[in-house]
């Protein structure tokens, strides 16, 4: 059974920092990993993603402030968030693209339960 578990959210003042962590387990293999967020009344959006080869992608609004990293040996992905702004507030979800068994023909998407990030002004 696959599991995706996030940690590290919380309340921080504008300009502060938070680090989110995500641990994946139960996968036969993992391809891309990423972080999404959903603000109240808005659609879920991709914040950052990272491939197995460590190629990264960021939404424009976080470039230069957020850094995504992963440890392939531990199946973990972190999101270091600096210079946080009130508009970064939302529920942050970890996403894992992986194959569940050796017989899986393609990767499927698995989500964590989400962790709340609140940035006060």
């Amino acid at each position: 059974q696959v599991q995706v578990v996030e940690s590290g959210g919380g309340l921080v003042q504008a300009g502060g920092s938070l680090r989110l962590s995500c641990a994946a387990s139960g996968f036969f293999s993992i391809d891309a990993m990423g972080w999404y967020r959903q603000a109240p009344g808005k659609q879920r959006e991709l914040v950052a993603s990272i491939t197995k080869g460590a190629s990264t992608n960021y939404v424009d609004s976080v470039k230069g402030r957020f850094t995504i990293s992963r440890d392939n040996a531990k199946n973990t992905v972190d999101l270091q968030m600096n210079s946080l702004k009130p508009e970064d507030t939302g529920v942050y979800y970890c996403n894992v693209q992986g194959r569940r068994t050796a017989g899986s023909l393609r990767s499927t998407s698995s989500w964590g339960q989400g962790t709340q990030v609140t940035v006060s002004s």
Side-chain angles (χ1 to χ4, degrees):
Q1 181 179 354
V2 300
Q3 280 192 313
V4 179
V5 179
E6 304 109 332
S7 61
L11 172 64
V12 65
Q13 288 187 332
S17 298
L18 281 174
R19 187 177 185 89
L20 305 183
S21 296
C22 171
S25 61
F27 291 86
F28 173 75
S29 64
I30 293 176
D31 298 318
M33 305 179 83
W35 288 93
Y36 288 69
R37 68 185 177 193
Q38 187 164 19
K42 294 188 177 182
Q43 289 188 331
R44 190 175 298 188
E45 66 169 350
L46 175 65
V47 175
S49 64
I50 184 167
T51 67
K52 194 170 185 177
S55 294
T56 58
N57 179 54
Y58 298 92
V59 67
D60 285 346
S61 60
V62 308
K63 286 181 180 178
R65 300 188 297 123
F66 290 12
T67 302
I68 189 169
S69 61
R70 68 185 279 177
D71 184 328
N72 290 333
K74 296 180 180 179
N75 290 338
T76 58
V77 60
D78 292 345
L79 185 68
Q80 177 65 42
M81 305 185 293
N82 299 328
S83 303
L84 283 160
K85 304 176 181 180
E87 50 264 43
D88 294 318
T89 294
V91 179
Y92 283 67
Y93 297 91
C94 179
N95 177 266
V96 176
Q97 300 286 329
R99 291 194 294 159
R100 300 191 175 201
T101 69
S104 300
L105 297 179
R106 60 182 180 87
S107 292
T108 57
S109 184
S110 298
W111 295 90
Q113 78 285 356
T115 185
Q116 177 71 43
V117 171
T118 303
V119 184
S120 63
S121 57

